[in-house]
Amino acid sequence: MKDKRPTRRFDAARRETAAVRPRQLLIVAYALAAALWVVWVLWGSAVMLTHKADGTMLTRTLTADDLTFESFVNYEDDEWHTAPVDEPGWYLSTDNDPHIFWQGEAWVETVRLEAWHYLPPGSVALYYLTPGQTDYSESQKVYAKVTGEGEYTFALGGVTVTGLRIDPDSVGGVPTKFTAVELNPAAPWFLRFLPNGGQWLCLLFLPAVAAAFAAVLMDLARKK
């Protein structure tokens, strides 16, 4: 009678390999994602240093004199309205779509708005123009992240801009004190390695999806 034990051992080993492979694929996928993330950050850092070296990356604080205000009233110039706080620099938005413009060309990673809203502002957003563009569009819109009291940060990710438009509120009638707008504010270097919300989602879920897809393909190939 033929001994079937070698065949059984082979089948058992094959089942064990098939059971282990998805875990191995998952480990490889996450390791590859981590390596690609580090390479991406290092590449972005090299590009940033290049722009710093050639002077196109401005680190600059813009004041009211550098900006153009649209749909705003300066309390100091309006005898019919009184600022909520007796200090200079307070503005009142006159409709639900006020704008602050800056014209100039620079390579920008982040923009920080320092502003104090006396009332809830609704959404705070930034639009930017790239060379050759004349109109702002929704495709180049960045929502603010509140990074401190009276501090809103916009992450552009590194792009050459020829103009910026900040919408500091979306409701109108909001008294706001503008302190400054900072282009490329200084930040600790290690923060570059920390993903933002969307990047975290990609790093957490895309490797798992890729590993599962690879496992299905390998199973199909093995059955053939």
Side-chain angles (χ1 to χ4, degrees):
M1 183 175 181
K2 188 177 179 180
D3 188 2
K4 295 184 179 180
R5 284 179 294 179
T7 303
R8 291 172 181 172
R9 287 198 297 269
F10 175 76
D11 290 340
R14 187 173 60 179
R15 287 194 297 271
E16 183 179 355
T17 302
V20 172
R21 185 172 292 141
R23 293 196 294 270
Q24 294 173 336
L25 288 174
L26 197 61
I27 293 171
V28 170
Y30 276 105
L32 183 60
L36 289 175
W37 172 252
V38 172
V39 171
W40 173 259
V41 172
L42 293 176
W43 170 256
S45 300
V47 172
M48 180 268 292
L49 291 173
T50 300
H51 283 283
K52 272 193 172 183
D54 63 19
T56 55
M57 182 179 178
L58 299 178
T59 301
R60 180 180 174 188
T61 300
L62 308 174
T63 63
D65 295 334
D66 303 308
L67 306 170
T68 301
F69 294 82
E70 183 178 272
S71 298
F72 278 104
V73 171
N74 187 336
Y75 280 104
E76 296 178 6
D77 301 329
D78 186 6
E79 62 182 15
W80 302 105
H81 295 87
T82 303
V85 180
D86 189 16
E87 295 177 349
W90 282 87
Y91 290 76
L92 176 68
S93 56
T94 57
D95 59 37
N96 62 359
D97 193 25
H99 309 311
I100 304 172
F101 294 98
W102 175 74
Q103 295 295 323
E105 184 168 340
W107 192 82
V108 179
E109 282 196 335
T110 56
V111 176
R112 184 162 61 202
L113 168 68
E114 294 182 6
W116 298 84
H117 294 93
Y118 193 72
L119 297 173
S123 64
V124 180
L126 176 146
Y127 297 78
Y128 61 90
L129 298 176
T130 56
Q133 294 180 331
T134 57
D135 298 319
Y136 293 95
S137 67
E138 290 290 321
S139 63
Q140 293 172 187
K141 178 180 183 179
V142 181
Y143 285 102
K145 179 181 180 181
V146 179
T147 51
E149 190 173 3
E151 183 179 284
Y152 302 86
T153 300
F154 308 93
L156 278 68
V159 62
T160 298
V161 305
T162 54
L164 299 174
R165 189 191 96 190
I166 298 176
D167 296 0
D169 77 72
S170 59
V171 294
V174 178
T176 306
K177 181 180 180 180
F178 298 106
T179 305
V181 175
E182 292 184 78
L183 303 180
N184 298 311
W189 64 269
F190 59 84
L191 292 181
R192 302 181 68 87
F193 288 89
L194 297 180
N196 59 31
Q199 293 165 343
W200 269 120
L201 289 176
C202 291
L203 290 172
L204 288 175
F205 293 106
L206 286 184
V209 173
F213 186 68
V216 171
L217 292 179
M218 294 178 68
D219 284 341
L220 292 175
R222 187 173 60 252
K223 289 177 181 178
K224 290 182 179 180

mmCIF file of all heavy atoms in Angstrom, residues 36-56:
data_model
loop_
_atom_site.group_PDB
_atom_site.id
_atom_site.type_symbol
_atom_site.label_atom_id
_atom_site.label_comp_id
_atom_site.label_asym_id
_atom_site.label_seq_id
_atom_site.Cartn_x
_atom_site.Cartn_y
_atom_site.Cartn_z
ATOM 1 N N LEU A 36 8.703 54.414 1.929
ATOM 2 C CA LEU A 36 8.318 55.411 0.920
ATOM 3 C C LEU A 36 7.997 56.749 1.561
ATOM 4 O O LEU A 36 8.302 57.813 0.992
ATOM 5 C CB LEU A 36 7.115 54.901 0.122
ATOM 6 C CG LEU A 36 7.387 53.740 -0.838
ATOM 7 C CD1 LEU A 36 6.087 53.262 -1.475
ATOM 8 C CD2 LEU A 36 8.375 54.167 -1.918
ATOM 9 N N TRP A 37 7.382 56.721 2.754
ATOM 10 C CA TRP A 37 7.075 57.972 3.450
ATOM 11 C C TRP A 37 8.356 58.715 3.826
ATOM 12 O O TRP A 37 8.459 59.923 3.646
ATOM 13 C CB TRP A 37 6.235 57.686 4.698
ATOM 14 C CG TRP A 37 6.048 58.903 5.559
ATOM 15 C CD1 TRP A 37 6.613 59.163 6.764
ATOM 16 C CD2 TRP A 37 5.251 60.045 5.244
ATOM 17 N NE1 TRP A 37 6.225 60.386 7.235
ATOM 18 C CE2 TRP A 37 5.390 60.955 6.325
ATOM 19 C CE3 TRP A 37 4.447 60.390 4.173
ATOM 20 C CZ2 TRP A 37 4.733 62.184 6.346
ATOM 21 C CZ3 TRP A 37 3.798 61.625 4.190
ATOM 22 C CH2 TRP A 37 3.941 62.493 5.267
ATOM 23 N N VAL A 38 9.339 57.991 4.345
ATOM 24 C CA VAL A 38 10.613 58.619 4.706
ATOM 25 C C VAL A 38 11.288 59.214 3.467
ATOM 26 O O VAL A 38 11.792 60.341 3.491
ATOM 27 C CB VAL A 38 11.542 57.609 5.408
ATOM 28 C CG1 VAL A 38 12.930 58.209 5.610
ATOM 29 C CG2 VAL A 38 10.946 57.201 6.752
ATOM 30 N N VAL A 39 11.278 58.462 2.371
ATOM 31 C CA VAL A 39 11.873 58.970 1.128
ATOM 32 C C VAL A 39 11.138 60.221 0.658
ATOM 33 O O VAL A 39 11.753 61.203 0.221
ATOM 34 C CB VAL A 39 11.844 57.880 0.035
ATOM 35 C CG1 VAL A 39 12.242 58.452 -1.320
ATOM 36 C CG2 VAL A 39 12.772 56.732 0.409
ATOM 37 N N TRP A 40 9.809 60.208 0.762
ATOM 38 C CA TRP A 40 9.006 61.371 0.343
ATOM 39 C C TRP A 40 9.344 62.603 1.188
ATOM 40 O O TRP A 40 9.495 63.705 0.662
ATOM 41 C CB TRP A 40 7.534 61.030 0.465
ATOM 42 C CG TRP A 40 6.611 62.189 0.219
ATOM 43 C CD1 TRP A 40 5.968 62.945 1.152
ATOM 44 C CD2 TRP A 40 6.239 62.733 -1.054
ATOM 45 N NE1 TRP A 40 5.218 63.924 0.554
ATOM 46 C CE2 TRP A 40 5.364 63.818 -0.805
ATOM 47 C CE3 TRP A 40 6.555 62.402 -2.362
ATOM 48 C CZ2 TRP A 40 4.809 64.574 -1.831
ATOM 49 C CZ3 TRP A 40 5.995 63.158 -3.383
ATOM 50 C CH2 TRP A 40 5.142 64.222 -3.123
ATOM 51 N N VAL A 41 9.471 62.414 2.504
ATOM 52 C CA VAL A 41 9.787 63.542 3.384
ATOM 53 C C VAL A 41 11.186 64.075 3.082
ATOM 54 O O VAL A 41 11.412 65.287 3.024
ATOM 55 C CB VAL A 41 9.669 63.120 4.861
ATOM 56 C CG1 VAL A 41 10.190 64.222 5.779
ATOM 57 C CG2 VAL A 41 8.216 62.806 5.209
ATOM 58 N N LEU A 42 12.141 63.172 2.881
ATOM 59 C CA LEU A 42 13.505 63.610 2.578
ATOM 60 C C LEU A 42 13.566 64.344 1.239
ATOM 61 O O LEU A 42 14.276 65.345 1.099
ATOM 62 C CB LEU A 42 14.446 62.405 2.562
ATOM 63 C CG LEU A 42 14.678 61.720 3.914
ATOM 64 C CD1 LEU A 42 15.555 60.489 3.743
ATOM 65 C CD2 LEU A 42 15.300 62.693 4.921
ATOM 66 N N TRP A 43 12.813 63.870 0.273
ATOM 67 C CA TRP A 43 12.757 64.560 -1.018
ATOM 68 C C TRP A 43 12.164 65.955 -0.859
ATOM 69 O O TRP A 43 12.679 66.936 -1.387
ATOM 70 C CB TRP A 43 11.950 63.738 -2.018
ATOM 71 C CG TRP A 43 11.639 64.486 -3.286
ATOM 72 C CD1 TRP A 43 10.451 65.051 -3.652
ATOM 73 C CD2 TRP A 43 12.563 64.769 -4.354
ATOM 74 N NE1 TRP A 43 10.563 65.658 -4.871
ATOM 75 C CE2 TRP A 43 11.844 65.508 -5.328
ATOM 76 C CE3 TRP A 43 13.897 64.465 -4.565
ATOM 77 C CZ2 TRP A 43 12.442 65.951 -6.511
ATOM 78 C CZ3 TRP A 43 14.492 64.916 -5.744
ATOM 79 C CH2 TRP A 43 13.769 65.637 -6.691
ATOM 80 N N GLY A 44 11.048 66.055 -0.112
ATOM 81 C CA GLY A 44 10.447 67.362 0.132
ATOM 82 C C GLY A 44 11.381 68.298 0.874
ATOM 83 O O GLY A 44 11.435 69.494 0.592
ATOM 84 N N SER A 45 12.154 67.758 1.814
ATOM 85 C CA SER A 45 13.116 68.579 2.544
ATOM 86 C C SER A 45 14.215 69.085 1.616
ATOM 87 O O SER A 45 14.650 70.238 1.723
ATOM 88 C CB SER A 45 13.734 67.766 3.693
ATOM 89 O OG SER A 45 12.743 67.339 4.601
ATOM 90 N N ALA A 46 14.656 68.238 0.693
ATOM 91 C CA ALA A 46 15.692 68.656 -0.260
ATOM 92 C C ALA A 46 15.171 69.760 -1.173
ATOM 93 O O ALA A 46 15.880 70.739 -1.461
ATOM 94 C CB ALA A 46 16.155 67.452 -1.082
ATOM 95 N N VAL A 47 13.923 69.631 -1.618
ATOM 96 C CA VAL A 47 13.319 70.673 -2.463
ATOM 97 C C VAL A 47 13.195 71.986 -1.683
ATOM 98 O O VAL A 47 13.488 73.074 -2.197
ATOM 99 C CB VAL A 47 11.940 70.208 -2.974
ATOM 100 C CG1 VAL A 47 11.225 71.347 -3.692
ATOM 101 C CG2 VAL A 47 12.093 69.016 -3.903
ATOM 102 N N MET A 48 12.771 71.887 -0.414
ATOM 103 C CA MET A 48 12.652 73.079 0.421
ATOM 104 C C MET A 48 13.991 73.784 0.590
ATOM 105 O O MET A 48 14.095 75.007 0.474
ATOM 106 C CB MET A 48 12.069 72.682 1.778
ATOM 107 C CG MET A 48 11.887 73.843 2.756
ATOM 108 S SD MET A 48 13.325 74.083 3.834
ATOM 109 C CE MET A 48 13.248 72.611 4.833
ATOM 110 N N LEU A 49 15.049 73.001 0.846
ATOM 111 C CA LEU A 49 16.375 73.597 1.014
ATOM 112 C C LEU A 49 16.856 74.249 -0.279
ATOM 113 O O LEU A 49 17.538 75.289 -0.238
ATOM 114 C CB LEU A 49 17.356 72.524 1.472
ATOM 115 C CG LEU A 49 17.141 71.991 2.899
ATOM 116 C CD1 LEU A 49 18.076 70.822 3.163
ATOM 117 C CD2 LEU A 49 17.340 73.088 3.928
ATOM 118 N N THR A 50 16.506 73.669 -1.416
ATOM 119 C CA THR A 50 16.867 74.274 -2.702
ATOM 120 C C THR A 50 16.207 75.633 -2.870
ATOM 121 O O THR A 50 16.853 76.609 -3.290
ATOM 122 C CB THR A 50 16.460 73.345 -3.857
ATOM 123 O OG1 THR A 50 17.129 72.098 -3.711
ATOM 124 C CG2 THR A 50 16.818 73.958 -5.208
ATOM 125 N N HIS A 51 14.926 75.729 -2.525
ATOM 126 C CA HIS A 51 14.221 77.007 -2.635
ATOM 127 C C HIS A 51 14.733 78.023 -1.616
ATOM 128 O O HIS A 51 14.765 79.226 -1.900
ATOM 129 C CB HIS A 51 12.720 76.788 -2.469
ATOM 130 C CG HIS A 51 12.058 76.210 -3.678
ATOM 131 N ND1 HIS A 51 11.755 76.961 -4.789
ATOM 132 C CD2 HIS A 51 11.669 74.939 -3.958
ATOM 133 C CE1 HIS A 51 11.181 76.180 -5.703
ATOM 134 N NE2 HIS A 51 11.118 74.960 -5.219
ATOM 135 N N LYS A 52 15.133 77.534 -0.455
ATOM 136 C CA LYS A 52 15.737 78.456 0.515
ATOM 137 C C LYS A 52 17.051 79.003 -0.002
ATOM 138 O O LYS A 52 17.367 80.195 0.160
ATOM 139 C CB LYS A 52 15.954 77.738 1.851
ATOM 140 C CG LYS A 52 14.771 77.798 2.796
ATOM 141 C CD LYS A 52 15.183 77.349 4.184
ATOM 142 C CE LYS A 52 14.061 77.584 5.184
ATOM 143 N NZ LYS A 52 14.443 77.227 6.574
ATOM 144 N N ALA A 53 17.832 78.127 -0.629
ATOM 145 C CA ALA A 53 19.150 78.538 -1.119
ATOM 146 C C ALA A 53 19.050 79.565 -2.235
ATOM 147 O O ALA A 53 19.860 80.495 -2.309
ATOM 148 C CB ALA A 53 19.923 77.322 -1.592
ATOM 149 N N ASP A 54 18.061 79.423 -3.118
ATOM 150 C CA ASP A 54 17.962 80.382 -4.232
ATOM 151 C C ASP A 54 17.079 81.583 -3.909
ATOM 152 O O ASP A 54 16.845 82.442 -4.761
ATOM 153 C CB ASP A 54 17.477 79.687 -5.513
ATOM 154 C CG ASP A 54 16.062 79.115 -5.379
ATOM 155 O OD1 ASP A 54 15.320 79.530 -4.477
ATOM 156 O OD2 ASP A 54 15.713 78.248 -6.204
ATOM 157 N N GLY A 55 16.572 81.655 -2.663
ATOM 158 C CA GLY A 55 15.837 82.837 -2.230
ATOM 159 C C GLY A 55 14.377 82.881 -2.614
ATOM 160 O O GLY A 55 13.697 83.888 -2.353
ATOM 161 N N THR A 56 13.837 81.824 -3.215
ATOM 162 C CA THR A 56 12.428 81.847 -3.615
ATOM 163 C C THR A 56 11.488 81.457 -2.476
ATOM 164 O O THR A 56 10.284 81.693 -2.562
ATOM 165 C CB THR A 56 12.197 80.903 -4.808
ATOM 166 O OG1 THR A 56 12.662 79.590 -4.466
ATOM 167 C CG2 THR A 56 12.928 81.401 -6.040
#
